[in-house]
Amino acid sequence: LRQLTNLARAGAMSLQQPMTLCPLDINQRCTTNWSGVLSVFSDLNGNRRLDPNEQISPVLQIDPLITLHWRGMRPNNSLHFSAKGATFVSNGTFSLCSYSYNETFQLIVNRQGRIRTSRSKQMCNKYPTV
């Protein structure tokens, strides 16, 4: 997840165009279901939808034993980087609950697009259906 987030930011800066990281639904729109497949794509018009003229980068399949949540400024269905590598609104946090370790890990993205991690002994509150 950290590598994919860095890829989105680096892609935005190197290509000089907005990039979005999000889970896509069957209509190629960003959803709020972060526990699944995450995609990075050039989002030229900023609509948080993969349009035919936009290019998708590698994707990341989230392990079924991990739940992932994104909490940031609205909308909560995507992380969007400007051509300068900054987020458009403010910072946000990915919270990963690993049922294998029964711990919560956090990936915190600041306004400039930089990432730091945190780890918590907070127990996961429910187990996934596998």
Side-chain angles (χ1 to χ4, degrees):
L1 179 61
R2 184 181 186 127
Q3 289 175 340
L4 190 67
T5 305
N6 280 330
L7 175 74
R9 181 175 185 248
M13 291 185 297
S14 66
L15 298 173
Q16 288 294 291
Q17 60 189 19
M19 298 289 280
T20 295
L21 183 151
C22 73
L24 293 171
D25 66 12
I26 60 170
N27 296 315
Q28 303 301 327
R29 292 187 178 148
C30 292
T31 73
T32 56
N33 180 14
W34 287 88
S35 295
V37 177
L38 305 183
S39 301
V40 172
F41 58 94
S42 60
D43 196 2
L44 303 175
N45 58 9
N47 67 351
R48 288 164 172 77
R49 176 186 173 135
L50 181 61
D51 295 316
N53 63 329
E54 297 169 337
Q55 196 160 7
I56 193 164
S57 294
V59 297
L60 172 67
Q61 174 69 50
I62 301 296
D63 188 297
L65 294 177
I66 293 175
T67 57
L68 177 64
H69 300 282
W70 166 251
R71 183 179 168 136
M73 296 300 283
R74 297 263 186 244
N76 274 340
N77 65 349
S78 62
L79 174 56
H80 197 69
F81 291 99
S82 73
K84 293 186 178 186
T87 63
F88 277 98
V89 182
S90 73
N91 60 328
T93 302
F94 284 109
S95 295
L96 295 87
C97 189
S98 169
Y99 296 99
S100 301
Y101 296 100
N102 205 18
E103 290 184 278
T104 300
F105 301 89
Q106 293 182 325
L107 206 74
I108 301 142
V109 183
N110 72 17
R111 173 78 171 81
Q112 291 78 32
R114 294 188 183 97
I115 301 168
R116 69 179 176 91
T117 57
S118 176
R119 190 175 184 168
S120 169
K121 291 290 183 181
Q122 178 181 340
M123 303 288 263
C124 298
N125 55 7
K126 65 179 183 176
Y127 288 88
T129 53
V130 181

